[in-house]
Each structure stands twice: as C-alpha cells, then as structure tokens.
Amino acid sequence: MAHAIPFIVFSFVFIPATITLVESNQQGFISAVISDKGLDFAKDLLIEKAISSIIPLQLSDIEKSVKIPVIGKVKLGLSNIIINSLDVASSSVETGDSGIVLVASGATADMSMDWKYSYKTWVISISDKGTATVQVEGMVVGLSVAIINEEGTLKIVLLDCGCHVEDISIKVDGGASWLYQGIIDAFQGKIVSAVEDAITKKLKEGINKLDSLLQSLPKEMEVNSVVALNITFVDDPLLSDSSVELEINGLFTGVDGISVPNYYYRKEPQTFLPHKMSTKMVEISLHEYVFDSAARVYFNANYLQWTVDQIPDQSIMNTNGWKYIIPQLYEQYPDDDMNFSIAVTSPPIIRITGDDIYTTIDGDLLIEVLNSGEVVPVACISLVINASCSAEIHGNNLAGSISLVNFTASLKWSDIGNLHMNLIQAVMSTILKTFFMPYLNTHLRRGFPLPLPRGFTLQNAEIIRHDSWVTVCSDLSYPNRYDLNQLPIMVTA
C-alpha cells in the first residue's frame, strides 16, 4: 500500500501571512490543481465526513437550581443529552489571500434528553422525571485552516473554528405544566452553549487527527517491484480566487535505491486550461521528465533488454530464411534456429509537444545462432528508433501506447561477412513491428497510478498535451462516500 496526494487536503490549503514559509530549491514535476468545482465537491464530502464522525454526539449533563414563581426553589437536571441528527442547508468555501474558509450555515439538529426535578420543603418533598426533545435551528459552523509544506510533508494549522446556534425549541414530555417554562428559562442558554462547545471541540479533534494522518504519509509511492514515485511535496501551495495548486517532486526512483539525475526545467507561469477546468474538478499535469525518469530507472535496472525467440514470421527464426539475405550465415550455420537479442543502449529520450509525444530509443540488435546447444552471437546491428506515443486513461492509471515512426540501422560488427543493410532493414522492421512494439505496448497499457486518494476514481477524464506537459482534466467520484469511517488519504498502487 502506498500513499498519495490527499484530495480533501488540496481543498483546504492557503498561505497565511502569519506563517513563515521557506522557499524550496526543488522543483515539482507533477502539479495538481483543484478547481472551484473540485473545491465544492471536497467541501461537501468533508461535511459529510464530519457529520458521520460526530453523530450521535453526547453532551455533558447539566444541573441547575432555579426559583419558580409561586413554587419556590426547584433543583433541575438534564442527562443523556444526545444530538441525534444534523442537517446542513447550505455551505460555502472561499479562497483568497487571507485563507480558505469553510462555512456551513442554516444547519438544524435534533436532540433528545432526559429531565428530572426535585422540590423539597420542611413540609413536603416532590420529584419527577421525563423526556424532552430539542430542535436546534439557525446553526452556523465555520472553519479556517492553513496547510503548509514542512520538509516535504503537509502540516495542518487550525487558525479558527467555531459554532453559533441562533435558536432552540424545547418540547417537554411529562411533568406538570408549570415545569415547561422553568426548563426553558433555566436551560436554554446552557443547551446552546453545550451544543456550540461540543461541536467546536469535535472539529478541533478532527483537524488534529487529519494532521496526524498527513504527518504519517510516506514520501514515496511504490508502483511495482522496480520503480517508485517520489511524492514529496515541493514548495508551498498556491491559491487563486478559484483554484488551489500543489506540486510534488513526481520523479520516479528505483525501489532498490537506483536514483535518477537531477532534472531542471525553466519554470514559467503555467497556462492552465480554463476551457477544460471550468467543467472539471481536477487537473493533474505531468512534466515529460516524469516519464523520462521512469525510463532511466528501467534502463539502469537492466530491464530494457529482451530475447526474441518467436515472432509471427517464424521463417526468419532459422538460418534457412536468411540464405538469400546473408548467404554466409546459412553457409556457416545451415538450418540452425536463431534468436535475436535487443538491448537498449542508453536511456530513451521522451519529449512532449502539443502535437504528439515522441521518443527516441537507441539499441543494439544481436543476431544469435543456436548451434550444437550453444548460443553463438554472429552480428550486431545498431538501431535508432523513433516512435510516437499516445496517453490513455485506464481506471485511475495513466497508460499509453507506442507506434513505430521510423528507424535507422547500421552494422556494428559481424562474424559472417559484410551485410547488405538495405536487405537487413526489412527484417529489422518486421522484428520491431511484430515483437518490440507489441511487447512495449503490453506494459505501457498497464500504466501507473496517478496520485489520487484511496477510494476516489477518475470520471470523464480527458488528456491534453501541451509544451513538455501531459495534463489529465477530470471529474472525481467517491463511490463509497456514505461509508466514511476512514479518511480517504491513502491509495493502493
């Protein structure tokens, strides 16, 4: 299990003037931008989570002695005070230089409680008990938080939170009629204060819990047994009046410690895609160096080499099929089976433009003969392969496919005489088209998981290419939104 960028966290980020921010020298190669539509989605989900985590909410018992006209001094007590339901009529989330503020207003709550009273004089002693229901109306709950980058992880700073109750109505069941107004007069203010204090306390506890979870997130997401994604947060969140942006390192590293060189790009103000973002919740942009770093890790781990022993045209897997192309091969090794070994000789180069995703792969193709139980290398051909790639979304994975554009072949060395490369070229093309490209596509179509919180899925995703970047614009869904026992912070790779 690995961890990824928390979506709910994205929607409550800001840079308060009272907090000292440290400028990072690192660059982020994956950025995530949450639009106002995404902020609203996160806000609604966070409110649902908050309500499900605090309801039912039990309040402390309340006792008080009051003086009832005509009756005299009466000792009253409320116990088993429980908020059973909480409904929010409207809510809003605002971003700006002063922070992000979440406000839930017009909220109502239903409460139940037990009451009792006792009245004692030197002549008589009277006591009674019953139940009551309380309708809380016009409740407003507000929350403002800061989330800052602290050594590559996110830390939540709660700036303010509170709850205000406009009015309550109490219905007393049982007891004498003179008791009703006494309970209302004695306990209305205390019930209001108890509700406000209890909800404020729960909000603070929830923010502290979320902060602890964020602090426990690892800085690396293992994708498979070879590569892991560096998900260290870089710099501090950026806010506009309609979006929030976070950056993570986003480069791949080797699970076994294989590292990649330091990458750098000239950072220009990003031109986001307002025509797409106006209708999508999230925009995840990946720099071409993300893909480049993955290719380097696989290369350094010696995964970019293969043996070809079976292709659709089996005639070229025997020296008999080469007798007119390379006569000397057939003369030295008549009717022997053959292998081809392909090895990439330098990390593939990946470049992204608005038109396409291009890659250049340098490799060697080794011609081998299976002779008397031995594998005998007989010639080596250097290849420079130019290919075109496309990006695709499979579930929550960014996947792709590759197709051959062209290639050049040159003889590196030969033990079977000089080769006519114009004749060899056609065979190389067959091997590349029927083995090499299909093999790469088998793995590319699996893709790798985008850094999304556990439980969220991309919905109606679109992919856009622009200078050096691939951007995924998508809505999000949370199928288990009504099963919110866990905060959706982690993601399974």
Side-chain angles (χ1 to χ4, degrees):
M1 175 150 316
H3 302 258
I5 302 174
F7 180 76
I8 287 181
V9 169
F10 286 165
S11 59
F12 292 95
V13 180
F14 73 98
I15 308 175
T18 56
I19 296 178
T20 302
L21 302 177
V22 180
E23 184 73 20
S24 170
N25 293 323
Q26 292 185 320
Q27 285 190 300
F29 298 90
I30 296 181
S31 71
V33 179
I34 310 302
S35 69
D36 51 0
K37 180 181 178 181
L39 291 174
D40 281 338
F41 176 77
K43 174 256 299 177
D44 292 342
L45 185 60
L46 187 63
I47 290 173
E48 289 176 15
K49 168 60 187 175
I51 292 175
S52 69
S53 65
I54 67 174
I55 300 300
L57 175 61
Q58 183 154 2
L59 281 58
S60 300
D61 294 349
I62 303 173
E63 291 186 351
K64 189 175 183 180
S65 294
V66 297
K67 190 173 183 179
I68 305 294
V70 180
I71 302 299
K73 190 174 183 181
V74 178
K75 185 176 181 181
L76 300 172
L78 301 180
S79 61
N80 199 26
I81 309 169
I82 299 174
I83 301 177
N84 297 302
S85 67
L86 178 63
D87 295 310
V88 175
S90 63
S91 59
S92 63
V93 56
E94 299 292 335
T95 62
D97 293 338
S98 60
I100 290 186
V101 178
L102 170 66
V103 176
S105 57
T108 60
D110 292 321
M111 300 175 58
S112 61
M113 60 186 180
D114 298 330
W115 61 263
K116 64 180 180 179
Y117 78 90
S118 62
Y119 168 71
K120 181 184 293 187
T121 68
W122 63 276
V123 178
I124 59 172
S125 177
I126 303 173
S127 64
D128 200 358
K129 61 183 179 179
T131 61
T133 57
V134 180
Q135 178 71 30
V136 181
E137 298 175 346
M139 184 161 54
V140 179
V141 180
L143 173 72
S144 64
V145 297
I147 300 180
I148 59 175
N149 182 357
E150 189 174 83
E151 298 182 351
T153 60
L154 295 181
K155 179 174 179 58
I156 297 181
V157 179
L158 177 63
L159 299 183
D160 194 16
C161 72
C163 173
H164 172 71
V165 174
E166 184 70 25
D167 190 24
I168 65 171
S169 59
I170 304 173
K171 180 181 179 182
V172 179
D173 298 318
S177 60
W178 59 263
L179 184 64
Y180 298 170
Q181 192 61 44
I183 290 181
I184 293 174
D185 292 342
F187 290 109
Q188 186 167 11
K190 285 185 174 292
I191 293 173
V192 167
S193 296
V195 170
E196 293 174 344
D197 292 345
I199 290 181
T200 300
K201 180 182 177 182
K202 283 295 182 180
L203 285 175
K204 291 179 179 179
E205 290 175 356
I207 293 299
N208 289 335
K209 179 181 178 181
L210 182 57
D211 181 52
S212 297
L213 288 171
L214 289 176
Q215 295 298 308
S216 68
L217 291 177
K219 298 181 180 181
E220 189 175 85
M221 181 178 77
E222 187 172 314
V223 176
N224 55 37
S225 61
V226 182
V227 296
L229 187 66
N230 184 337
I231 55 173
T232 302
F233 288 90
V234 175
D235 289 332
D236 293 289
L238 299 177
L239 271 76
S240 74
D241 57 358
S242 60
S243 66
V244 177
E245 178 188 0
L246 288 184
E247 289 187 352
I248 62 172
N249 176 279
L251 296 178
F252 286 96
T253 59
V255 171
D256 57 358
I258 294 176
S259 61
V260 296
N262 292 327
Y263 287 91
Y264 175 81
Y265 66 92
R266 182 185 177 92
K267 188 169 184 179
E268 304 287 349
Q270 276 234 51
T271 303
F272 296 115
L273 310 162
H275 61 291
K276 295 294 181 184
M277 284 302 291
S278 62
T279 58
K280 300 293 182 181
M281 293 180 184
V282 62
E283 173 186 306
I284 302 174
S285 297
L286 300 90
H287 194 272
E288 60 190 23
Y289 288 159
V290 173
F291 310 101
D292 196 86
S293 65
R296 284 182 176 271
V297 172
Y298 279 108
F299 174 79
N300 292 336
N302 298 317
Y303 271 81
L304 301 185
Q305 46 190 296
W306 308 270
T307 297
V308 184
D309 56 10
Q310 195 170 28
I311 60 175
D313 185 2
Q314 279 297 108
S315 66
I316 63 174
M317 303 305 295
N318 188 281
T319 57
N320 186 58
W322 293 76
K323 64 169 63 176
Y324 301 114
I325 303 173
I326 311 176
Q328 194 169 336
L329 171 63
Y330 182 72
E331 290 172 6
Q332 292 185 29
Y333 304 97
D335 293 316
D336 279 344
D337 290 332
M338 299 172 60
N339 283 342
F340 300 98
S341 292
I342 301 175
V344 175
T345 55
S346 63
I349 298 170
I350 300 169
R351 293 296 175 260
I352 301 171
T353 70
D355 299 321
D356 209 344
I357 303 172
Y358 301 98
T359 183
T360 301
I361 305 171
D362 293 334
D364 286 344
L365 187 144
L366 197 63
I367 301 175
E368 300 169 330
V369 176
L370 307 180
N371 181 255
S372 302
E374 293 185 10
V375 179
V376 182
V378 295
C380 183
I381 297 171
S382 292
L383 300 172
V384 178
I385 303 167
N386 295 307
S388 172
C389 303
S390 65
E392 306 162 2
I393 293 293
H394 292 169
N396 282 350
N397 282 15
L398 180 60
S401 61
I402 187 170
S403 59
L404 181 66
V405 175
N406 57 54
F407 71 97
T408 59
S410 59
L411 183 62
K412 192 169 186 179
W413 59 264
S414 172
D415 290 339
I416 49 176
N418 193 30
L419 307 185
H420 297 285
M421 294 308 300
N422 59 328
L423 298 177
I424 299 294
Q425 193 104 353
V427 179
M428 298 300 101
S429 179
T430 298
I431 294 173
L432 293 177
K433 290 179 179 178
T434 61
F435 171 80
F436 189 58
M437 294 299 163
Y439 181 88
L440 291 180
N441 280 326
T442 299
H443 293 274
L444 289 174
R445 288 195 176 102
R446 297 174 187 168
F448 64 90
L450 290 169
L452 292 171
R454 180 183 59 194
F456 287 92
T457 58
L458 295 175
Q459 195 171 54
N460 302 321
E462 300 177 46
I463 296 178
I464 300 170
R465 297 181 302 270
H466 45 120
D467 253 358
S468 302
W469 295 85
V470 168
T471 297
V472 178
C473 299
S474 182
D475 287 331
L476 292 176
S477 64
Y478 190 66
N480 299 320
R481 65 184 302 161
Y482 299 111
D483 181 18
L484 297 172
N485 293 323
Q486 298 281 338
L487 284 173
I489 291 182
M490 297 176 289
V491 64
T492 303

